[in-house]
Amino acid sequence: MATSLIELKNVTKIFGGKKNYTVALDDMSLALSENFPRIVTVAGESGSGKTTMGMLLLGFYSPTFGQVFYRGQDLRELTWTGMMDYRRNIQAVFQDPFAVYNPFYKVDNLLSIPIKNFKLASSGAEARSMMEEALTSVGLRPEETLGRFPHQLSGGQRQRIAVARALLLKPKLLIADEPVSMVDASLRSTILKSLRALNQDYGIPIFYITHDLTTAYHVSDYIMILYHGSVMEVGNVDKIIRDPQHPYTQLLVKSIPWPDPNMAWGDADDIINKSKVAFVKTTGCKFLPRCPRAHDICQTQPPALFAKDSDRAVACYLFKDAPVVPREELGTLFREAV
Amino acid sequence: MTEALLQIKDLRVYYHVDAGAVRAVDGVSFNLEAGIKLGLVGESGSGKSTMALALMRMIKAPGKIESGQMILDGVDLLQLSEEKMRQTKLMKLSMIPQGAMNSLNPVMRIDKQMMDGLEDHNSLLSKEELTARIQELLTAVDLDPKVAKMYPHELSGGMKQRVCVAMAISMEPDLIIADEPTSALDVVIQRQVMAMINRLQEKLGLALILIGHDMGLMAQSVDRLAVMYAGRMMEIADTKVIFGNPLHPYTQLLISSLPVLENKGVFSGIPGVTPSLLTPPPGCVFHTRCPKARDVCRERIPVFTEVETGRWVACHLITA
């Protein structure tokens, strides 16, 4: 098998000191292969470890245990050339369209610096036309964007420039961490459309990190549901959102406020009663204290991933008769259904 | 017909900056009946948060309420003295602020903060009665009464939000204004908090103005929906009616841009950008982005008209 583009191997990330610590990501293994132009969502509540996972993939955090590999090489052992290659090929779009800009520089800066650093253009004119092309492809008019300062543009425009920047570099993977959560509803779909186009027209895989299952359902092909650093359910997004199997996913999906008064939230009692329980460290299933369907077996050890379908696995003993998917092979679920 | 609980008439709030007057709320009128939940939606800069602040008379310089009336239960809030307005707050109307997590005093225990408002408005009650009332309020918002002796940093975001709700209902007002009360919360917590607000709203018979831009949340929680754009009111109707058959082109675009379960992968936004509120376009403010704009839309401001019972819209295409 060819080496994957980026791989997390038994990665655990712990924050805090000896006594008071938080396991943000718990023994996660995931390999994303090159030339796999799909959108994979990582979803979960605050504290589920989704952003930590993005930060590890971007090399902004180093794992407490385990390793992160880029094209088969441990990130910590990359040479300078290797590091440049990695930096160029793994790009990111972040949540806050205000914080990524230096307010004293024109927005051109965000686009021209990568061109300069990675020597993408041989002349100023070429650089300019590259910038214009990138902006046009995310639906912005270059003449209305270039030469402006960040405060002169709306949040939606700024976020699209960040997408244009990613496009400019033609990365092998784009990590989008909550790219639309701070943008108005009417602009969200425009940005998601840009991301989807980036994915489809240029074949760039996207790792979409969000707490919003509605947009996750709309843009992505696959989804991973995290809870306190562990995968609860993973696989085909249509199956998981339309027919969730893990009690936690069911809780999340039930809580989606669909913008349709005819799809009512309904009775919230189950959610209210079960969710008051605080998270406790346990040897069994992490979701146990909140689970409405817990059994004795759930207390013994964390459940393995059981392959409920060919393209979906659930970490829940309710499906213990199904074949086990080894955690290292989690990425194999991200394939077309047969 | 009985008088509506709240009547807003031609309200104008401008922010006076060096470049001129920013017309954040520009001639808004609407009514709200007692015990009804009204959602107020709009993009950033549409004036929805300014509306909320104006209702509480909390607009600060350079902002100014230029003109209009805000009649709550027969009394025009804009005519009240500062002192009378202060007494009205919490008794008649109260607010759950945006980012409630940052609106608690970090160095004061929860009971002390709740006590402030209660003591001020309820000076006849003894200390014991007030303490009992705080316990009762905390229980009403699904919190452990132990929370009373805690500091804000010991609570989670959802718990702090509940404390703010407890404060808002402490004097059982007629109207609560909630400015994006759940936008910082996870979906599950959001649903719990909304369920709790709904339960209290029904129990106490409050009217609620829920401000936000999350149409999903609105669809799930309010009776009536008001749509603002660039400082003006575009449309008001019952939630089911407006989602089923929006009349104003802006509302139509807004609703068709929403992600629903059926149309996976269809992304339609609203083209264009919101106009500057310093120099709003002449005529209808939406004409610059409206696919159906005609000459009249560029010239005359459409009048906000009741086209059916309880259904108001400001659009030349509908009212002409």
Side-chain angles (χ1 to χ4, degrees):
Chain A
M1 204 179 121
T3 44
S4 29
L5 176 70
I6 195 150
E7 184 179 0
L8 298 177
K9 201 168 183 188
N10 302 104
V11 169
T12 298
K13 180 70 187 171
I14 298 174
F15 292 106
K18 282 205 175 88
K19 274 190 185 150
N20 198 355
Y21 60 89
T22 309
V23 182
L25 201 64
D26 194 357
D27 194 17
M28 173 70 72
S29 295
L30 175 69
L32 294 169
S33 54
E34 214 161 319
N35 307 318
F36 179 74
R38 291 285 174 261
I39 301 184
V40 178
T41 291
V42 180
E45 296 172 271
S46 329
S48 61
K50 54 191 194 302
T51 293
T52 303
M53 204 168 158
M55 292 303 210
L56 284 159
L57 288 171
L58 283 165
F60 294 159
Y61 290 164
S62 34
T64 313
F65 303 112
Q67 287 169 292
V68 184
F69 295 96
Y70 172 69
R71 291 191 159 143
Q73 270 196 297
D74 191 314
L75 276 194
R76 284 172 287 204
E77 289 158 11
L78 283 180
T79 58
W80 190 80
T81 349
M83 199 61 185
M84 283 300 274
D85 184 56
Y86 162 72
R87 281 271 168 259
R88 179 183 168 170
N89 283 330
I90 314 285
Q91 285 295 320
V93 175
F94 295 105
Q95 177 170 17
D96 190 338
F98 299 82
V100 297
Y101 292 89
N102 183 331
F104 295 110
Y105 289 108
K106 290 177 179 165
V107 295
D108 310 30
N109 231 36
L110 198 78
L111 301 171
S112 61
I113 285 182
I115 296 184
K116 211 166 80 189
N117 284 353
F118 294 111
K119 302 192 177 59
L120 302 180
S122 51
S123 68
E126 196 188 342
R128 173 91 192 176
S129 73
M130 283 180 82
M131 282 155 70
E132 287 180 356
E133 191 198 319
L135 288 172
T136 315
S137 54
V138 294
L140 290 171
R141 275 185 287 253
E143 64 276 13
E144 286 177 9
T145 328
L146 293 174
R148 300 272 186 117
F149 285 98
H151 71 265
Q152 294 172 304
L153 300 171
S154 71
Q157 286 173 312
R158 273 182 288 210
Q159 202 61 308
R160 273 185 280 170
I161 298 175
V163 177
R165 179 187 183 280
L167 174 67
L168 204 61
L169 292 158
K170 306 262 171 2
K172 299 284 186 212
L173 175 68
L174 179 67
I175 294 170
D177 189 353
E178 300 272 16
V180 295
S181 67
M182 290 184 66
V183 176
D184 266 323
S186 65
L187 287 167
R188 270 183 199 174
S189 49
T190 327
I191 290 164
L192 293 173
K193 204 157 125 189
S194 307
L195 283 175
R196 186 88 224 187
L198 204 65
N199 168 257
Q200 284 176 342
D201 302 349
Y202 299 88
I204 299 170
I206 299 177
F207 200 69
Y208 178 60
I209 300 170
T210 189
H211 71 274
D212 179 2
L213 293 179
T214 333
T215 56
Y217 168 74
H218 278 270
V219 295
S220 55
D221 304 293
Y222 301 97
I223 191 166
M224 269 170 89
I225 308 279
L226 293 188
Y227 183 71
H228 282 276
S230 296
V231 177
M232 296 288 123
E233 189 162 356
V234 54
N236 181 308
V237 73
D238 287 358
K239 282 191 184 164
I240 290 181
I241 301 294
R242 284 175 175 267
D243 178 29
Q245 294 297 323
H246 195 287
Y248 178 58
T249 322
Q250 290 172 347
L251 173 68
L252 285 182
V253 170
K254 252 185 172 176
S255 306
I256 298 177
W258 289 104
D260 180 350
N262 298 317
M263 283 177 69
W265 261 343
D267 194 12
D269 285 350
D270 50 340
I271 286 174
I272 290 163
N273 296 337
K274 277 288 173 186
S275 304
K276 273 193 220 157
V277 189
F279 178 70
V280 281
K281 293 193 174 99
T282 126
T283 51
C285 173
K286 290 179 176 175
F287 189 60
L288 174 66
R290 285 171 70 179
C291 189
R293 300 174 70 185
H295 293 77
D296 290 343
I297 186 174
C298 307
Q299 290 170 2
T300 55
Q301 61 175 48
L305 278 171
F306 298 103
K308 163 92 176 45
D309 309 300
S310 65
D311 55 354
R312 177 235 303 256
V314 190
C316 179
Y317 285 115
L318 292 171
F319 306 94
K320 63 178 186 295
D321 298 333
V324 170
V325 182
R327 295 219 174 231
E328 298 72 46
E329 287 167 28
L330 199 146
T332 57
L333 292 159
F334 302 152
R335 59 171 179 223
E336 305 310 318
V338 274
Chain B
M1 199 179 126
T2 50
E3 284 271 279
L5 173 71
L6 176 73
Q7 300 171 53
I8 304 287
K9 290 182 181 166
D10 201 31
L11 184 71
R12 283 167 210 273
V13 184
Y14 295 175
Y15 291 93
H16 296 276
V17 294
D18 289 345
V22 176
R23 299 162 174 229
V25 172
D26 201 10
V28 166
S29 305
F30 68 92
N31 288 352
L32 175 62
E33 314 292 329
I36 296 288
K37 288 175 284 184
L38 172 77
L40 184 57
V41 289
E43 297 170 55
S44 338
S46 61
K48 54 191 196 301
S49 287
T50 299
M51 266 304 304
L53 289 174
L55 275 166
M56 295 297 288
R57 272 190 41 193
M58 277 163 44
I59 299 283
K60 297 238 162 63
K64 188 168 174 271
I65 300 177
E66 299 289 324
S67 62
Q69 285 179 300
M70 305 189 304
I71 301 169
L72 178 68
D73 205 8
V75 181
D76 186 353
L77 298 179
L78 291 177
Q79 302 303 324
L80 294 179
S81 66
E82 283 290 324
E83 176 56 24
K84 272 263 187 271
M85 184 64 201
R86 197 184 62 77
Q87 288 169 5
T88 308
K89 286 183 204 169
L90 225 52
M91 293 292 286
K92 287 268 179 196
L93 84 164
S94 62
M95 186 174 188
I96 305 170
Q98 191 169 17
M101 27 281 307
N102 301 325
S103 56
L104 296 173
N105 185 336
V107 295
M108 224 191 228
R109 291 186 199 272
I110 298 299
D111 57 349
K112 184 79 186 60
Q113 310 196 32
M114 294 182 68
M115 195 74 90
D116 275 352
L118 283 173
E119 273 181 340
D120 191 76
H121 291 94
N122 248 347
S123 42
L124 294 175
L125 290 185
S126 70
K127 193 98 183 165
E128 288 70 39
E129 285 171 312
L130 285 173
T131 311
R133 176 75 180 136
I134 287 174
Q135 304 281 317
E136 188 186 311
L137 285 167
L138 290 174
T139 317
V141 295
D142 302 330
L143 283 174
D144 190 320
K146 277 203 301 247
V147 167
K149 288 290 167 209
M150 289 172 145
Y151 286 100
H153 75 266
E154 296 176 88
L155 308 178
S156 71
M159 290 164 89
K160 280 185 250 190
Q161 192 59 273
R162 287 167 198 275
V163 170
C164 288
V165 175
M167 285 185 184
I169 60 162
S170 59
M171 297 304 302
E172 303 196 357
D174 298 327
L175 172 65
I176 288 186
I177 300 151
D179 192 359
E180 309 232 14
T182 59
S183 60
L185 305 176
D186 278 322
V187 277
V188 179
I189 316 288
Q190 164 174 286
R191 188 170 164 192
Q192 287 172 33
V193 170
M194 282 318 297
M196 185 263 299
I197 291 178
N198 281 342
R199 204 185 60 227
L200 291 168
Q201 183 266 340
E202 273 167 38
K203 197 174 131 204
L204 304 174
L206 312 166
L208 175 75
I209 299 183
L210 180 68
I211 294 172
H213 65 249
D214 184 344
M215 293 289 273
L217 184 63
M218 293 296 171
Q220 299 299 337
S221 23
V222 297
D223 306 312
R224 282 172 70 72
L225 194 60
V227 182
M228 274 186 90
Y229 178 78
R232 295 191 202 154
M233 200 60 93
M234 299 284 116
E235 186 164 359
I236 294 186
D238 288 348
T239 309
K240 282 205 170 172
V241 172
I242 216 164
F243 272 95
N245 176 25
L247 289 179
H248 198 286
Y250 176 65
T251 325
Q252 288 170 353
L253 285 168
L254 192 64
I255 286 173
S256 66
S257 77
L258 297 172
V260 291
L261 205 49
E262 287 77 41
N263 63 355
K264 173 165 170 146
V266 180
F267 302 105
S268 57
I270 302 177
V273 291
T274 40
S276 159
L277 299 178
L278 264 172
T279 48
C284 173
V285 272
F286 187 58
H287 86 245
T288 52
R289 294 167 84 184
C290 184
K292 298 176 182 169
R294 297 193 212 144
D295 287 344
V296 61
C297 305
R298 293 175 194 98
E299 288 151 16
R300 276 192 296 120
I301 296 177
V303 182
F304 196 52
T305 320
E306 188 166 23
V307 288
E308 288 161 36
T309 315
R311 175 149 218 205
W312 297 70
V313 64
C315 178
H316 288 302
L317 299 176
I318 311 295
T319 50

